[in-house]
Amino acid sequence: MTIDPLESKWLDNVSGIGASIDSFYEYALKGAILFDDEDLFNVWNIAYNSVQSNMKTFNDYLTVNVDVTSGKNRAYWIDSLSAFWPGLQVLAGHIKPAVKSHLVYLKIWNCFQSIPERWSINGDFTIEGSMALEWYPLRPEFIESTYHLYRSTRDPIYLAIGQDLLMKLRSMFLCPCGLCGFQDIRSGIRQDRMESFVLSETLKYLYLLFDENNYIHNVLEKQNNMIFSTEGHPFWLATHNRSLNDPAQYFTTSPLLTEHKFLDRIPLLGTLWNRLYPEKTTNDRPTLPSLSLPHSSCEFVARNTDTFLSSHLLQDPTICHIDKIFEKSLITPPYMNSTTAIEFQDNFYHNYGGANKDSLTSTPILETEVVTYRIDPFFGGQNTLMDFGLDFVIPTIRDLRLSFEIIKPFETSSLGLLDNAAIDAFSPLFDNRHLDYVTKLVSINGVDIPTNSNVYCVKVSPSLIKSDQIRISTKGYFTFDNNPVINLIVYTDLDQDFGVSSVV
C-alpha cells in the first residue's frame, strides 16, 4: 500500500482495497475509460482478478488485507473507505459481485446506523472489540456505491437505503452549523467538525440517487459518456474529442447493462454444450443433482411480476447469511434505539418484498467444508474464466485458485442431502472407484460457479499431472489430492473450436 518514491522501495508488504490503496483501482479503471488506454485497463484487469482471487474470504463476502509475499490474510477488518468497491465493480460491469459486496455494508449500516472507520470480525466480540477504529465522519463511499447500484439495477432497495440515510442526516447528524458524524460510535459522541466531502460527495450522490431530471442522467448517462472521478467530479468527453478515439471501444459500450467486461472482444457464444454437440439438445447435457433442501434463511415468496415493485435483492435466499456469519461482530451499541433492518422495514417489505414477513422461514445456513488449491505459478489470476451460458471454460489449469465444496453423505450441501448411493453414483466418472464423498468446484479465482454448471478445461500441462496432486480419469474428470471433482472436465478440442486465447 505504501511506496517510497525517492528510493523506489515498498515500505510495507500489505495489500487490500481500502485506505491507502483504494484510489489506485479507481485510477486504473477510470483512466482506461477516460483516456481510452488499454494499458491502464490491463492494470485494472490484473489487479481486479488478483483481488477476487487472493483477498476474498468468508464465502466471498469480505475482502481482507493480505501479505503480498505469502498471500496469507493479514487483517480481518474492513474500513469505511472500501465501501467504494461495489460502485467500481458496477462500472466494470460486474453487477452480481457488486450486489454481494454491497450487502456487507448494508448489514453494517443496519447494525451501527453508520459505517465504522474500521470494523473488525476477529476481536473479543464486544462493542469495543468490533470497532478497530470507532469514528464515522459521514463518508460518501457507501451512498456512492448505493447510487451506482440503483442506476444499474433499478432495485428499489437502494432507494430505501438512501431514504434511511437521509432520515438519519436529519434525526442524528444535523447540528446547528452543519452535519457532524460520530467521533465514537460506541458511545454516540459526535464530532465537532464537518468534512468537505460531506457536501461534495455524500450529499451529491444522495441527491443524484433521487433526482432523475438533471443533465447527468438525461444527457450524459444516455450518451454513455460520463464517469465520476474518485472525488465525485463528473468527467466527460466532448463530441470532437470522442471522434479521435476508436468508436468501437470504451465510450460506446455500456458497462452498466451487462455482466461482461466492457472490453467484449468476442460475441456471446450461447450454451457451450450446444456448440460441442450440435446434434444433441440441451436436455441431453449432463447436469448435477438438483437442490433437494429448502432455501436457506429468509425464504421469500416472489411476486408474479418482474417490475419495479419487486426487489430482486429480497428474492435472494442468501440475504441473511451475513447476519449469521458475522453475528458475533454485528453488535448494536446499547444507546441506539432498536431499529429494524432497512430491507425488512414494514413499509418497504410490504411494497417490494412480495410477501408478508410472516412468510419468512428459519432454516439452517449451509455450512459446508471448503478446500482450496492454488495451482502455481500464480501471477494475479491471469488465466481467464470464460462464460458460455450454462458452462464455463478455462484455457489451462495453471494460475488458478480453485475452491471445492466437500459433499459427504447425509450432510447439508449445495446439492442437498445425498445418501451413500447418490455419492457412489458418480463412480463411473472416476474409473469406477468407490467414493466415500465427492467435491464440487464452487469458485475459480474468486468467481462463483453456479450449482448446475460444468467447467471445461482445455489443456493440462503434463508436469502438473502428479500422483500426489492431480489425476484425470479416463472420462476427463479431475481428482485433487484424492478428492474427486464432479463438475471439472478436460476437453482438449476447445482451443481449436473457440479460440480460447481471446478474452471475454
Side-chain angles (χ1 to χ4, degrees):
M1 292 184 180
T2 310
I3 193 172
D4 183 336
L6 298 180
E7 300 293 333
S8 299
K9 295 180 179 179
W10 293 102
L11 300 180
D12 61 38
N13 59 349
V14 179
S15 188
I17 63 168
S20 298
I21 197 173
D22 50 338
S23 294
F24 158 75
Y25 300 100
E26 290 196 82
Y27 294 150
L29 179 58
K30 294 179 178 180
I33 296 173
L34 189 62
F35 303 115
D36 206 15
D37 190 318
E38 188 165 353
D39 289 334
L40 274 178
F41 178 76
N42 289 333
V43 170
W44 154 257
N45 196 39
I46 292 174
Y48 181 76
N49 288 339
S50 296
V51 169
Q52 294 297 97
S53 175
N54 294 291
M55 301 180 192
K56 304 295 285 187
T57 187
F58 290 97
N59 291 2
D60 288 344
Y61 281 115
L62 280 192
T63 303
V64 298
N65 294 318
V66 299
D67 187 312
V68 297
T69 59
S70 68
K72 295 181 179 180
N73 295 339
R74 283 283 297 270
Y76 286 102
W77 50 256
I78 60 176
D79 56 55
S80 60
L81 286 170
S82 63
F84 85 98
W85 186 253
L88 196 62
Q89 288 180 300
V90 168
L91 181 63
H94 301 293
I95 310 298
K96 291 180 180 178
V99 170
K100 190 171 186 178
S101 300
H102 184 269
L103 193 55
V104 175
Y105 300 98
L106 170 58
K107 300 297 184 175
I108 296 174
W109 179 269
N110 283 340
C111 178
F112 302 111
Q113 310 299 296
S114 57
I115 307 289
E117 193 72 357
R118 283 185 184 175
W119 171 68
S120 177
I121 59 172
N122 65 342
D124 56 6
F125 301 122
T126 63
I127 293 294
E128 291 75 18
S130 64
M131 299 279 184
L133 295 176
E134 67 277 1
W135 59 87
Y136 168 61
L138 300 177
R139 289 197 183 277
E141 285 77 13
F142 177 53
I143 191 63
E144 173 187 0
S145 288
T146 300
Y147 162 74
H148 288 301
L149 277 165
Y150 177 67
R151 299 305 300 178
S152 61
T153 68
R154 298 294 177 163
D155 193 318
I157 183 65
Y158 302 113
L159 293 179
I161 294 171
Q163 175 180 268
D164 189 78
L165 176 58
L166 181 60
M167 295 173 63
K168 295 294 190 305
L169 289 177
R170 292 173 172 173
S171 63
M172 296 176 61
F173 302 120
L174 184 62
C175 298
C177 194
L179 296 166
C180 60
F182 285 121
Q183 183 61 34
D184 190 336
I185 298 173
R186 300 169 301 183
S187 61
I189 297 176
R190 298 295 196 273
Q191 293 180 323
D192 188 17
R193 59 184 293 164
M194 176 179 172
E195 301 283 356
S196 60
F197 55 67
V198 176
L199 289 175
S200 64
E201 296 183 73
T202 305
L203 294 185
K204 178 191 295 180
Y205 285 118
L206 188 61
Y207 163 75
L208 289 173
L209 177 66
F210 294 108
D211 184 76
E212 294 287 338
N213 298 316
N214 58 72
Y215 185 72
I216 287 177
H217 293 159
N218 285 338
V219 179
L220 299 179
E221 188 177 88
K222 292 179 180 179
Q223 294 176 349
N224 199 33
N225 188 32
M226 189 278 299
I227 58 172
F228 286 102
S229 74
T230 186
E231 303 300 337
H233 305 301
F235 287 172
W236 59 88
L237 290 181
T239 302
H240 70 279
N241 287 333
R242 289 182 63 190
S243 65
L244 301 177
N245 296 307
D246 180 2
Q249 287 201 0
Y250 309 96
F251 283 98
T252 58
T253 319
S254 179
L256 299 181
L257 300 179
T258 174
E259 274 298 314
H260 298 275
K261 297 185 181 72
F262 56 86
L263 276 182
D264 286 339
R265 305 233 179 121
I266 63 175
L268 292 177
L269 299 178
T271 303
L272 178 59
W273 175 259
N274 293 335
R275 289 295 301 270
L276 296 178
Y277 307 104
E279 72 281 3
K280 297 183 179 182
T281 67
T282 302
N283 293 332
D284 297 319
R285 173 184 172 273
T287 59
L288 298 174
S290 61
L291 290 170
S292 60
L293 286 181
H295 287 303
S296 304
S297 301
C298 301
E299 182 179 351
F300 299 91
V301 179
R303 288 178 178 270
N304 294 324
T305 178
D306 187 19
T307 66
F308 177 82
L309 294 178
S310 179
S311 170
H312 291 283
L313 189 64
L314 286 180
Q315 314 306 323
D316 185 346
T318 68
I319 190 173
C320 293
H321 278 194
I322 298 175
D323 303 81
K324 176 64 176 179
I325 295 172
F326 305 121
E327 61 183 348
K328 293 183 178 180
S329 294
L330 291 172
I331 309 172
T332 302
Y335 72 89
M336 288 186 176
N337 295 328
S338 178
T339 57
T340 304
I342 294 174
E343 62 272 28
F344 297 135
Q345 290 177 359
D346 287 334
N347 288 340
F348 178 78
Y349 190 85
H350 175 74
N351 290 330
Y352 308 115
N356 187 282
K357 279 189 292 187
D358 293 337
S359 68
L360 297 182
T361 61
S362 179
T363 57
I365 292 176
L366 302 180
E367 297 178 349
T368 55
E369 182 181 355
V370 174
V371 294
T372 299
Y373 293 90
R374 188 158 147 172
I375 311 301
D376 293 322
F378 194 88
F379 302 105
Q382 297 188 22
N383 197 355
T384 304
L385 177 68
M386 298 170 32
D387 187 347
F388 285 84
L390 290 175
D391 301 307
F392 295 83
V393 168
I394 49 176
T396 73
I397 200 67
R398 283 189 175 275
D399 305 329
L400 295 173
R401 191 185 74 162
L402 307 172
S403 294
F404 303 100
E405 175 190 9
I406 298 178
I407 301 173
K408 298 181 180 180
F410 304 107
E411 293 186 5
T412 58
S413 74
S414 62
L415 299 182
L417 293 175
L418 303 182
D419 58 17
N420 289 296
I423 294 291
D424 210 46
F426 293 104
S427 175
L429 305 179
F430 301 94
D431 299 330
N432 294 316
R433 54 177 283 200
H434 172 70
L435 301 178
D436 295 318
Y437 67 93
V438 294
T439 62
K440 183 169 74 70
L441 184 61
V442 293
S443 71
I444 296 180
N445 288 355
V447 178
D448 293 336
I449 305 300
T451 298
N452 288 307
S453 291
N454 294 318
V455 178
Y456 292 85
C457 176
V458 177
K459 295 179 180 179
V460 181
S461 171
S463 63
L464 285 176
I465 308 302
K466 304 176 182 178
S467 59
D468 61 342
Q469 184 184 30
I470 301 175
R471 293 181 182 177
I472 300 178
S473 72
T474 55
K475 292 186 179 294
Y477 285 81
F478 280 79
T479 299
F480 286 81
D481 287 347
N482 210 36
N483 298 320
V485 186
I486 59 179
N487 61 337
L488 179 58
I489 313 164
V490 177
Y491 191 90
T492 56
D493 295 334
L494 286 179
D495 53 340
Q496 180 178 355
D497 294 346
F498 297 103
V500 295
S501 60
S502 300
V503 176
V504 173

